[in-house]
Amino acid sequence: MKEQATTPGSTAQRMRPLSPNIQIYRPQLTSVLSITNRITGVILSVFGIALVVWLTGVAAGAQTYSRLHLLIDSWFGQAVLFAFTFAFFLHLCGGIRHLLWDAGLGFELRTIYASGWTVLAASVALTAITWLASGFPGG
Amino acid sequence: MSKDLRSPFARAVGLGSAREGVAHWWAQRVTAIALLPLTVWFGAALISIAGSDHASIIHWLQSPLSTIGMVLLLIALFHHTALGLQVVIEDYIHSGIKLPLLIAMRLVCYALAVAGIVASLRITLGG
């Protein structure tokens, strides 16, 4: 990018480097989990829409509901629901980690890595438990 | 010379440079804490009614506790969603679409919360 002349009016238009230059860092557990909490949050927003559609479908009556369940019970619906479950538990466990930090707890580097791996392991375990407990209703 | 660079007014108000940021931060935490029991309750209920027919799902949603839980869940969920998406938009969108997107996102969140609450009440009242 060619630098423009630094007249007072043009400073706002110049492309400035963005901090913290994330592209030069090797991904680590801490940074990956940090952005994961954001990404899962955005994914769960879509799940919020799905929740309202489902509730409206239930309210609309048995016919609409059974049509809705054709989609939910399909392999595609079940795959999406499975991904949502994992995203939910990642965001839930990551959120609890954030709340503990907000309380001033767990800031030592060792603890941060331990809680990070705990978030990952707990999310995998809770997703597995949820789907085993529901008995894979779609088939 | 004083080390405090704030104006006398800013010092008196005592909010630092945060302005409305504190309220956003605080509301995000309060809704997060509310969502801990509400989402776990709803998830557990979904597991227990998985594969049930329409009538039994209606029956579950019609109980007063379920209705209260659903309405609280929808309020906390979409408040939390609006706060979170607001930060994501503010951090990554820097073009002219930022402000319209922020407004649209917030209005959609309100609309979804109301639509969900109305559906929940329709189920409860059998309308």
Side-chain angles (χ1 to χ4, degrees):
Chain A
M1 171 108 204
K2 200 171 154 242
E3 287 245 349
Q4 293 174 3
T6 47
T7 54
S10 71
T11 45
Q13 290 135 31
R14 257 192 311 163
M15 286 293 283
R16 295 175 180 281
L18 288 171
S19 179
N21 301 87
I22 49 169
Q23 70 277 7
I24 65 167
Y25 284 102
R26 190 165 51 89
Q28 346 174 40
L29 180 69
T30 43
S31 61
V32 169
L33 279 182
S34 172
I35 196 64
T36 299
N37 217 43
R38 266 202 175 181
I39 294 168
T40 52
V42 174
I43 291 171
L44 290 170
S45 309
V46 181
F47 187 63
I49 300 172
L51 172 66
V52 172
V53 170
W54 181 78
L55 265 180
T56 309
V58 174
Q63 266 194 334
T64 316
Y65 178 79
S66 62
R67 264 204 297 270
L68 202 60
H69 255 269
L70 283 179
L71 180 66
I72 296 173
D73 294 340
S74 69
W75 69 266
F76 176 76
Q78 292 289 291
V80 170
L81 211 53
F82 187 86
F84 271 142
T85 314
F86 188 47
F88 166 70
F89 282 122
L90 276 174
H91 198 77
L92 180 83
C93 298
I96 292 169
R97 187 165 172 244
H98 267 283
L99 287 172
L100 291 174
W101 283 337
D102 292 337
L105 301 168
F107 278 115
E108 295 77 23
L109 197 57
R110 283 172 67 99
T111 320
I112 284 178
Y113 271 87
S115 62
W117 288 115
T118 307
V119 163
L120 264 184
S123 302
V124 171
L126 288 166
T127 305
I129 290 168
T130 302
W131 280 76
L132 289 173
S134 65
F136 290 86
Chain B
M1 205 174 124
S2 166
K3 276 183 184 168
D4 195 340
L5 297 174
R6 293 176 300 170
S7 70
F9 176 74
R11 229 181 350 263
V13 171
L15 290 175
S17 65
R19 297 192 184 89
E20 80 277 6
V22 174
H24 180 286
W25 187 93
W26 185 246
Q28 199 165 39
R29 268 70 190 170
V30 172
T31 51
I33 291 166
L35 285 168
L36 288 178
L38 288 169
T39 53
V40 170
W41 161 76
F42 183 66
L46 277 188
I47 291 172
S48 70
I49 62 168
S52 310
D53 60 349
H54 184 252
S56 42
I57 285 172
I58 289 279
H59 180 74
W60 170 68
L61 281 171
Q62 274 183 336
S63 80
L65 207 65
S66 298
T67 310
I68 293 167
M70 279 312 299
V71 172
L72 287 176
L73 172 67
L74 287 159
I75 292 170
L77 180 70
F78 285 107
H79 192 180
H80 191 77
T81 301
L83 293 169
L85 288 180
Q86 180 192 332
V87 176
V88 171
I89 292 169
E90 285 170 349
D91 280 358
Y92 304 126
I93 312 279
H94 302 296
S95 59
I97 201 174
K98 179 175 153 181
L99 187 62
L101 200 60
L102 279 171
I103 295 168
M105 179 276 294
R106 194 156 272 268
L107 293 180
V108 167
C109 280
Y110 290 157
L112 284 169
V114 171
I117 291 167
V118 167
S120 190
L121 293 179
R122 271 177 69 201
I123 292 164
T124 306
L125 303 172

